[in-house]
Amino acid sequence: MPNAKIVVAGTGGTIAGRSSVVGDNVGYRAGEVPIAELMEGLAARVTALGGIQMELVQVAQVDSKDMGPAVWGPMLRNLQRWLDAPEVKAVVVTHGTDTLEETAYLLARVLQPQKKPVVLTCAMRPASALVPDGPQNLLDALSVALDERTAGVQVVAAGWVHAARHISKIHTYRLDAFSSGDAGPIGCVEEGHLRWFGKASVDAGPAGAGHALGRIDFAAFSEASWPRVEVITSHSGATGDAVDAMLLQANGPRPLRGLVVAGTGNGTLHHELEAALLRAQAAGVVVWRTTRCAFGQVVGCADVPATGPDAASTDFMPSAAGSSASLPASALPPVKARIELMLHLMARDSMTR
């Protein structure tokens, strides 16, 4: 492709972190180093990748613990514009590790029809570390983005290639901090060469998900327009007090629209919390169950309905009182189920306007 290029978009995170003390891998400030500076040291290696043109864009400079709609909205609009441009071959996004799995899942769902690669990468050590891991991760991400077999949204970290649907952060400190659970990684990068493990490289999202996300006009959504969905956890001695307190804010500026509950084991719930969730459901809040277990998913019940034309007529009806089986279950982990529920509500809103 003549004049083909890769867009490298920086959003901050530890990969762009800097400490006043060289080698301090904990007491640093995330999002301090601009993407142009991160790429400076890789110029020679990028030339070795084929010398493809790079467009460097600073989308945001945030600690990913603070990631959310304020950044997601502009990011989605920019990504769609870049992917629609014929000269753009792929997009690489640098991101913090704390919420990487959430942003990756969001992009995979919203940009699902796209066949061009969107590759996210990160670091567990700041740029000021004695031995930072960001440069190698960024170089690996560029290698994945340039591979002709890559499509859809992928995450590259510590030499592994993960699908957005399955990746989760499982460790607080070590360099290899991510896992794809039972599914495992879909490939690895070895000295600039991508080796697939025979799995599909395009992340198709939830099983059977025919969706209406194309109806959502993200350009018209402000930060406050994203529906409020909270995550709570069931545990020993759990009560419904937090749920009841959130219901009292129904007439506030940001009313509660949805709740994702991370249940114990196979999505089971403490009886007091369950009673409060059923009250919330009866009040019009959409409640989805999942599990707090790091591996596996809720089994023995149907997954939540796909986001699509029939969603509004099937899964927003108040359920009869009873066991937790009356609360729909999601096969996704809690934070990704929250993203899916937000999109679900946004699609529903778009269809009713």
Side-chain angles (χ1 to χ4, degrees):
M1 179 188 297
N3 301 317
K5 67 180 179 181
I6 289 181
V7 176
V8 183
T11 69
T14 296
I15 192 171
R18 181 180 280 145
S19 174
S20 59
V21 179
V22 176
D24 184 353
N25 296 334
V26 178
Y28 60 88
R29 289 179 61 86
E32 293 274 306
V33 183
I35 189 63
E37 186 175 334
L38 289 178
M39 289 294 295
E40 281 177 2
L42 298 179
R45 295 299 300 272
V46 169
T47 301
L49 289 174
I52 192 167
Q53 180 183 352
M54 301 283 173
E55 179 181 345
L56 310 181
V57 182
Q58 196 72 53
V59 175
Q61 284 183 283
V62 299
D63 187 322
S64 78
K65 68 179 177 58
D66 298 320
M67 184 62 70
V71 177
W72 285 338
M75 184 190 301
L76 286 168
R77 291 191 287 272
N78 280 315
L79 279 168
Q80 193 62 66
R81 176 170 56 84
W82 293 326
L83 294 171
D84 287 343
E87 70 275 14
V88 174
K89 178 180 175 63
V91 181
V92 171
V93 180
T94 61
H95 197 287
T97 60
D98 285 348
T99 57
L100 176 63
E101 64 207 75
E102 296 171 60
T103 297
Y105 183 79
L106 172 69
L107 299 185
R109 292 293 286 124
V110 175
L111 304 173
Q112 189 178 19
Q114 292 289 343
K115 298 304 179 185
K116 292 181 181 179
V118 176
V119 182
L120 290 89
T121 193
C122 56
M124 288 297 290
R125 291 176 179 167
S128 56
L130 290 174
V131 185
D133 55 324
Q136 186 64 59
N137 285 344
L138 184 49
L139 192 64
D140 287 348
L142 290 166
S143 297
V144 172
L146 286 168
D147 192 283
E148 296 296 335
R149 298 165 293 176
T150 307
V153 179
Q154 316 295 338
V155 178
V156 176
W160 299 109
V161 184
H162 298 271
R165 166 66 175 79
H166 299 293
I167 188 172
S168 295
K169 185 175 181 180
I170 61 166
H171 203 278
T172 59
Y173 184 75
R174 72 186 186 199
L175 300 186
D176 191 1
F178 291 92
S179 170
S180 284
D182 295 333
I186 59 176
C188 65
V189 186
E190 299 164 328
E191 293 300 314
H193 298 285
L194 176 57
R195 177 160 62 94
W196 293 109
F197 294 160
K199 303 175 183 179
S201 61
V202 177
D203 186 0
H211 61 77
L213 301 185
R215 303 186 187 195
I216 302 174
D217 182 7
F218 286 97
F221 272 79
S222 65
E223 181 180 357
S225 299
W226 292 64
R228 181 185 171 196
V229 177
E230 302 286 354
V231 177
I232 57 174
T233 302
S234 186
H235 51 81
S236 56
T239 70
D241 293 351
V243 175
D244 291 334
M246 284 187 281
L247 286 177
L248 293 176
Q249 303 171 6
N251 297 320
R254 298 217 46 207
L256 183 68
R257 298 281 307 279
L259 276 171
V260 172
V261 55
T264 47
N266 191 39
T268 54
L269 305 173
H270 188 284
H271 67 92
E272 290 188 32
L273 176 58
E274 182 181 337
L277 291 168
L278 289 169
R279 290 194 294 272
Q281 183 176 252
V285 176
V286 183
V287 182
W288 286 358
R289 273 185 307 129
T290 182
T291 177
R292 70 185 200 185
C293 295
F295 289 81
Q297 63 184 45
V298 178
V299 296
C301 54
D303 194 11
V304 295
T307 304
D310 300 327
S313 63
T314 58
D315 64 326
F316 293 95
M317 298 296 290
S319 183
S323 71
S324 57
S326 60
L327 297 173
S330 172
L332 294 166
V335 295
K336 291 180 181 177
R338 174 179 175 266
I339 300 295
E340 185 67 26
L341 182 48
M342 291 173 73
L343 293 173
H344 199 101
L345 291 167
M346 293 167 82
R348 178 201 183 199
D349 292 344
S350 296
M351 288 186 287
T352 56
R353 276 200 290 267

